[in-house]
Amino acid sequence: MNFFGDITKEASEFVHEHGFRHAVKEGVLGAFHTVSGAVDRNDNHDDPEEQQVDKIRENICASHRFRSFAGERSRNAVKWYIDGHDYFWAVSEILESARQCIFILDWWLSPEIYLRRPPSDFPQYRLDRLLKRKAEQGVKVYICVYKEVTQTMNMSSNHTKEALQALHPNIKVMRHPDHIGSKNDVQFWSHHEKVVVVDNHRACIGGLDLCFGRWDTHNHPLADCHPTDFTRTLFPGQDYNNGRVMDFQQVDNFVSSQISILETARMPWHDVHMALAGPAVLDVVQHFVERWNKVKKEKYQDDVTYDWLAFPHNVAKFPNEPVSRLPYSEVWGSIGTKFQNVWQPDDSQRAGGSSSGHGPNALTPFEPPEGSTAAVYDDHYQQTTGTCNVQVVRSVSDWSHGVLKEQSIQNAYIQLIQEANHFIYIENQFFLSNAADGGPVVNKIAKALVERILTAAREGKKFKVIVMLPEVPGFSGDIEKEGAIQTIMAGQWRTMNRGGNSIYELIRQAGYDPTDYIRFYHLRSFDRINGPKSFIDQMARDSGVSFFQAQMAQARLFLGNDTPWKQDKIQITAPATYTGENTSDLGTTEKQGTTLVEEVKFYENLDEARQVVRKFERAAGRSDEEVSDSLSQHLLADSTGLMDEQWLGSEQEEKDCYVTELLYIHSKVMIVDDRRVIMGSANINDRSQKGDGDSEIALVVEDTDQIQTTMDGRPFVANRFAATLRRKIMKEHLGLIPPQFCETGKEPVTSFMRAVPYPSEDETQSDEDQLVADPLSDQFMDLWDGTARKNRQIFGEIFKTVPTDVVRNWDQYKAYLPKVKTGHVASDLPIYQIKQKLSGIRGALVTAPIDFLIEETGLVNGPEWLGLNPTLPIYI
């Protein structure tokens, strides 16, 4: 962290927003606040009145499971979404349905993100345009985003605020926290929630931010090169990104795409999210209102542009609501804007105006969103009764929420693990926890896993845990050179299998084989970029337009005339080839080994941009229809095979166009016994779990709709929400689902894309579902682990992927790294044999090489793990 750099950047932003004279005055006050806040971090809880409120909150939490601010609520309709394609479509429906208000909490929000794709077919579903449309209809839009540390992060929350508030007065955006110049200076922690609420009626919670890089299909394409038809672009501008190669740059310049899509694979993104309609929405709203009013009080108390919000809860009719005990509830009710509460209607108000009047727990009829046909909103959508018990849990503290520390997410994880009987499935972006007592990591999720496994082992019972996490943290850089990557990977190894008190070591010390109980896995994919060099060069030569000029011109068309721009030139870079001399030219970070491919001008005029694209496309001289622009569908259950794919170029050009990349796991979900699910924004690390770090929110879901199945071959009753979520995720990872194409904008809108409460199709009787139905059966484990091992072997042979168990120290690392551009083929085999071998990959599942660099003991036992590194909490 560059403290003085942060001061400079924060100050310049403040001057820009408020003017110089005001900035000088506020600067003096800010310096005072910084000092006073550092002296007393809990100064908001010192006087008797504040302490009385804290005591009330503590009593409320003590009365709830997991010591959460919220209790369990029944009869909620909850729906899961796997990957951005399905969730973003659903959230577009939910936003389109707004009549009164929209609430959004986000770590990063990109106004220019497309919720439906291809972008050429859905220009109206770019997020900023959708929000503007709703604001013009009278909907009030409230957005609170994380204000990043500008010296170390590139999300540009200032752009988010300026771009959205310029659209309409009904759109209000707050940024928080301030990092310099207030009593509540926050250097390290972030607001990490990903929440959307519409009309206090439906809410969305999970791992997907509404930002660049998150939208993806089940195919997870690595390529997006369409030389003869740029309108088929799926990832325009900044949205084509690979965080392992280059972090986002100048995200306020939407057109910019700094990495060459002819040479660099995008990093695909796997994630899960959910949406709910039911009484538990009120607890999500409570969380949002408390956050909004806390930031209002802290930063905008005298700014009438930002109104206070009131809780929507009907405490007169429902006096047992916990918010009725909070003293500020009545104050906010008298001064704040209050929106309709359909889940606790007044006696004179039927639930949402439902003509059938089923009471406070009935779901209301949903009108088809504007522009949609009523035919797709059938009777199931119109009236569905929720079957899920839901409890909202969170990580909050004084800096983030104005309350004393609450860590009900960690409490929930630990209790759910302790109460597990058979099987636990975990997907998370990180896996940093403490399996013992002592040490710098304080969350005890790993300890709960060890204790539960040892209990099963001593009782002679079968018990399995599967953990999915990314191969490498999603930061740009070479593993050998980048300290942040090393620290996180070392922390995860200390959790998993080394350092003295890891999960594997403690189970082994107790006399059992840890792999009989818990195993770790990653995801990886491959693709082919449709960019044969001779063809691209010929088109450029005949048209007088380069490929990148055409690409940027198409991005300019996506930008339109309703969006301001700030750049006049775009620099396209590509990773350099690793020569083997040293790792400084590895080409895996913008700080090392990238080469400038081309500098392209920004086209201010739309007509000029349109002409540039057409000129390049017409120079093809032939059809490109028979060549697939992506081959990632062949990892799934496609009707054709990889060997059937055509190529219009030389064999060497085709070989040069095959690429691989890790499939980044960003999910934050745990499924227990196919009966309970916890899902939200929280990673398994201290930042998310300890309460006074990052702010987080999650849902614990237990469905009352049950299905008959088996567990270890014996009859078993599972809950539909949990079982179907786990099965669908595993089918995708094993390649047992059909491809999800998104090429024309005319593909069918499936039930899995529909907004809650539209039910997803029942697949529990399908042959593919039965293959993964029993997670304790030997047949399933043979399929799961066998697929992962085979895929890992093929990726290693063709691409020499890193990490790998073959590499156990830094000398082996340097010798092993292939002398090719990042992610490209590293095999001397001819292209035909390469394709034959890649045809054997099914799904993206690969084993985790947990013995990578295991001989470098200093990574896990160095001085930073003895508490001698003051920046360690940033990473763990």
Side-chain angles (χ1 to χ4, degrees):
M1 292 289 177
N2 184 333
F3 183 80
F4 292 103
D6 291 344
I7 292 176
T8 303
K9 193 66 179 282
E10 293 286 335
S12 64
E13 284 189 4
F14 192 91
V15 172
H16 173 71
E17 289 189 34
H18 301 281
F20 180 77
R21 294 183 64 182
H22 184 64
V24 171
K25 174 184 175 184
E26 293 297 321
V28 174
L29 292 174
F32 171 77
H33 289 319
T34 294
V35 173
S36 64
V39 171
D40 185 1
R41 281 295 180 186
N42 274 327
D43 71 326
N44 292 325
H45 303 268
D46 286 347
D47 67 45
E49 184 178 340
E50 293 162 346
Q51 291 173 352
Q52 181 61 32
V53 174
D54 291 337
K55 185 176 294 186
I56 292 172
R57 287 200 199 98
E58 171 62 23
N59 291 337
I60 291 173
C61 291
S63 69
H64 295 150
R65 183 179 62 163
F66 313 132
R67 299 188 68 84
S68 171
F69 78 106
E72 292 180 84
R73 295 188 189 263
S74 62
R75 301 187 67 186
N76 297 275
V78 190
K79 185 169 180 176
W80 48 256
Y81 299 94
I82 300 173
D83 298 324
H85 174 281
D86 289 2
Y87 169 62
F88 279 22
W89 186 286
V91 82
S92 74
E93 289 188 352
I94 293 172
L95 290 170
E96 194 74 88
S97 74
R99 297 294 179 265
Q100 289 190 351
C101 63
I102 294 170
F103 300 152
I104 299 176
L105 289 177
D106 224 336
W107 178 76
W108 180 18
L109 187 149
S110 303
E112 302 86 6
I113 193 75
Y114 283 88
L115 303 178
R116 301 185 184 186
R117 306 200 186 185
S120 293
D121 296 295
F122 298 104
Q124 73 275 31
Y125 282 102
R126 207 174 74 183
L127 180 58
D128 53 356
R129 292 168 180 161
L130 176 52
L131 293 178
K132 180 183 180 182
R133 186 161 66 249
K134 300 314 297 183
E136 290 172 343
Q137 295 169 8
V139 175
K140 304 288 187 180
V141 181
Y142 301 84
I143 300 171
C144 188
V145 294
Y146 166 54
K147 183 179 180 181
E148 75 282 10
V149 179
T150 51
Q151 290 300 106
T152 60
M153 309 176 90
N154 300 310
M155 297 103 74
S156 189
S157 60
N158 190 56
H159 167 66
T160 300
K161 179 177 180 177
E162 289 187 349
L164 291 178
Q165 290 199 157
L167 297 175
H168 196 277
N170 279 345
I171 301 176
K172 302 299 178 189
V173 182
M174 291 180 174
R175 302 192 300 151
H176 187 265
D178 288 337
H179 301 288
I180 300 296
S182 75
K183 280 188 177 182
N184 300 290
D185 284 354
V186 179
Q187 279 288 297
F188 300 149
W189 314 126
S190 68
H191 289 303
H192 199 238
E193 300 99 323
K194 302 94 170 59
V195 175
V196 175
V197 182
V198 169
D199 292 341
N200 295 332
H201 194 175
R202 291 186 280 188
C204 307
I205 286 177
L208 282 158
D209 298 280
L210 297 174
C211 69
F212 296 136
R214 274 37 172 187
W215 187 96
D216 212 341
T217 68
H218 299 327
N219 294 12
H220 299 293
L222 277 62
D224 193 30
C225 183
H226 313 270
T228 62
D229 187 359
F230 281 84
T231 64
R232 296 306 91 200
T233 298
L234 284 179
F235 306 94
Q238 292 273 0
D239 216 21
Y240 190 98
N241 176 260
N242 186 326
R244 287 287 299 123
V245 172
M246 176 181 288
D247 200 358
F248 287 97
Q249 306 288 323
Q250 298 176 298
V251 297
D252 53 336
N253 296 340
F254 162 69
V255 171
S256 294
S257 179
Q258 281 91 1
I259 59 174
S260 166
I261 69 173
L262 291 175
E263 300 171 82
T264 305
R266 63 177 289 270
M267 187 176 74
W269 199 272
H270 170 71
D271 219 326
V272 292
H273 216 90
M274 57 184 159
L276 71 151
V281 171
L282 296 176
D283 299 321
V284 181
V285 173
Q286 177 185 344
H287 182 78
F288 181 89
V289 169
E290 288 174 342
R291 172 69 49 75
W292 182 270
N293 287 349
K294 180 260 196 306
V295 180
K296 161 77 174 172
K297 179 181 178 181
E298 188 176 300
K299 295 186 63 176
Y300 306 100
Q301 182 158 2
D302 299 323
D303 188 343
V304 295
T305 325
Y306 298 90
D307 45 337
W308 297 90
L309 292 177
F311 292 134
H313 304 63
N314 185 349
V315 295
K317 187 175 180 182
F318 298 87
N320 292 327
E321 279 291 328
V323 297
S324 67
R325 300 167 60 186
L326 298 173
Y328 51 77
S329 176
E330 186 175 347
V331 176
W332 290 351
S334 65
I335 64 174
T337 303
K338 185 174 183 178
F339 296 99
Q340 182 182 9
N341 174 358
V342 299
W343 303 113
Q344 296 175 336
D346 296 325
D347 292 335
S348 59
Q349 173 196 353
R350 293 178 176 179
S354 171
S355 58
S356 54
H358 292 294
N361 289 325
L363 295 182
T364 65
F366 289 80
E367 299 175 12
E370 184 178 313
S372 301
T373 59
V376 299
Y377 290 81
D378 58 20
D379 291 339
H380 291 293
Y381 203 110
Q382 294 296 314
Q383 194 71 49
T384 305
T385 301
T387 61
C388 291
N389 297 327
V390 174
Q391 185 175 9
V392 182
V393 289
R394 63 186 184 181
S395 294
V396 291
S397 62
D398 185 61
W399 85 260
S400 63
H401 215 73
V403 302
L404 294 181
K405 184 172 80 169
E406 178 182 334
Q407 57 176 45
S408 53
I409 292 178
Q410 182 183 171
N411 297 342
Y413 265 92
I414 290 173
Q415 185 172 330
L416 292 176
I417 291 168
Q418 291 171 339
E419 295 174 355
N421 292 309
H422 306 285
F423 178 80
I424 296 172
Y425 180 78
I426 294 172
E427 281 190 0
N428 208 281
Q429 182 184 3
F430 299 106
F431 194 67
L432 279 148
S433 185
N434 198 333
D437 295 319
V441 180
V442 299
N443 84 80
K444 295 298 171 54
I445 292 172
K447 184 178 182 181
L449 286 170
V450 169
E451 291 173 347
R452 183 62 192 89
I453 287 169
L454 290 179
T455 297
R458 289 164 183 148
E459 293 174 351
K461 294 182 178 178
K462 206 170 185 179
F463 188 84
K464 299 284 186 183
V465 181
I466 288 176
V467 180
M468 303 286 301
L469 67 159
E471 265 189 351
V472 180
F475 304 101
S476 61
D478 172 21
I479 295 171
E480 186 183 16
K481 300 297 182 183
E482 293 298 320
I485 296 175
Q486 283 188 24
T487 300
I488 294 171
M489 293 185 76
Q492 294 184 154
W493 291 327
R494 285 170 58 90
T495 306
M496 293 188 287
N497 73 321
R498 54 186 106 163
N501 286 306
S502 66
I503 292 173
Y504 272 27
E505 290 169 305
L506 293 175
I507 295 173
R508 201 173 282 121
Q509 288 169 19
Y512 305 99
D513 182 353
T515 62
D516 288 341
Y517 299 93
I518 180 170
R519 296 186 183 184
F520 300 90
Y521 299 88
H522 305 312
L523 297 176
R524 176 166 282 276
S525 188
F526 75 87
D527 207 339
R528 186 187 69 186
I529 299 170
N530 183 16
K533 187 175 187 305
S534 61
F535 183 44
I536 299 297
D537 288 348
Q538 171 255 308
M539 292 179 69
R541 192 167 51 247
D542 294 349
S543 66
V545 173
S546 76
F547 174 86
F548 297 109
Q549 286 174 328
Q551 180 195 3
M552 292 303 109
Q554 180 62 53
R556 175 67 185 90
L557 296 177
F558 289 134
L559 191 64
N561 274 335
D562 58 347
T563 310
W565 64 87
K566 299 180 181 180
Q567 72 263 55
D568 57 1
K569 291 181 180 179
I570 301 103
Q571 290 188 334
I572 309 297
T573 60
T577 301
Y578 176 49
T579 64
E581 299 298 324
N582 56 65
T583 57
S584 65
D585 57 355
L586 186 60
T588 54
T589 168
E590 71 271 18
K591 293 174 281 186
Q592 307 164 356
T594 52
T595 58
L596 178 65
V597 176
E598 186 175 338
E599 187 171 80
V600 181
K601 82 164 191 173
F602 177 82
Y603 297 96
E604 295 188 16
N605 185 280
L606 286 180
D607 289 335
E608 181 187 10
R610 194 172 291 110
Q611 290 171 12
V612 167
V613 174
R614 289 175 179 171
K615 194 174 181 181
F616 183 82
E617 291 175 345
R618 288 170 179 169
R622 61 168 169 80
S623 171
D624 202 39
E625 291 281 326
E626 62 266 46
V627 180
S628 297
D629 291 334
S630 172
L631 304 183
S632 59
Q633 69 270 18
H634 294 301
L635 279 77
L636 302 178
D638 194 19
S639 58
T640 64
L642 183 62
M643 302 304 293
D644 300 323
E645 292 292 349
Q646 301 298 305
W647 179 256
L648 298 178
S650 71
E651 290 186 357
Q652 184 59 48
E653 285 177 329
E654 183 175 17
K655 186 175 179 178
D656 291 342
C657 287
Y658 271 89
V659 289
T660 187
E661 186 52 87
L662 65 86
L663 203 176
Y664 196 65
I665 297 170
H666 193 255
S667 319
K668 297 94 168 56
V669 62
M670 182 173 73
I671 304 169
V672 177
D673 293 335
D674 279 359
R675 288 177 173 167
R676 292 161 146 187
V677 175
I678 180 169
M679 183 195 300
S681 64
N683 293 313
I684 296 181
N685 60 11
D686 276 0
R687 289 190 64 111
S688 290
Q689 297 288 339
K690 68 176 188 169
D692 54 1
D694 294 348
S695 62
E696 310 281 5
I697 192 168
L699 303 182
V700 179
V701 180
E702 190 167 3
D703 201 348
T704 61
D705 182 9
Q706 298 179 324
I707 58 177
Q708 298 296 321
T709 182
T710 60
M711 185 69 75
D712 195 20
R714 299 181 180 89
F716 183 76
V717 177
N719 295 343
R720 182 175 298 276
F721 182 86
T724 56
L725 171 61
R726 180 193 60 78
R727 293 181 188 186
K728 187 75 168 189
I729 290 174
M730 287 186 160
K731 287 187 296 182
E732 179 182 331
H733 296 343
L734 290 167
L736 297 175
I737 64 172
Q740 186 175 55
F741 293 108
C742 188
E743 297 175 344
T744 66
K746 297 179 181 178
E747 286 83 10
V749 179
T750 69
S751 63
F752 299 100
M753 300 161 60
R754 296 255 82 95
V756 70
Y758 195 105
S760 295
E761 178 185 350
D762 187 350
E763 298 179 330
T764 56
Q765 300 307 309
S766 69
D767 292 341
E768 294 79 10
D769 227 55
Q770 292 306 303
L771 290 173
V772 298
D774 187 340
L776 279 193
S777 71
D778 293 338
Q779 294 86 349
F780 164 77
M781 284 308 301
D782 289 345
L783 172 65
W784 181 264
D785 200 59
T787 299
R789 291 181 184 278
K790 182 179 180 182
N791 288 348
R792 170 62 73 189
Q793 185 273 325
I794 297 172
F795 277 118
E797 181 179 357
I798 302 302
F799 297 103
K800 295 191 73 174
T801 50
V802 176
T804 171
D805 282 332
V806 173
V807 171
R808 301 171 70 86
N809 56 55
W810 288 124
D811 288 338
Q812 292 176 356
Y813 176 77
K814 295 172 185 176
Y816 181 84
L817 285 176
K819 299 175 179 60
V820 298
K821 291 181 180 178
T822 305
H824 284 251
V825 170
S827 170
D828 293 329
L829 292 173
I831 185 61
Y832 182 80
Q833 288 182 259
I834 288 172
K835 291 164 70 173
Q836 280 186 321
K837 289 183 177 292
L838 291 176
S839 296
I841 293 177
R842 285 291 173 267
L845 185 68
V846 291
T847 53
I850 59 175
D851 287 337
F852 176 60
L853 296 176
I854 196 165
E855 294 175 5
E856 298 292 339
T857 56
L859 289 172
V860 296
N861 290 318
E864 62 268 29
W865 300 107
L866 300 176
L868 302 180
N869 182 356
T871 65
L872 185 64
I874 300 173
Y875 304 110
I876 65 172

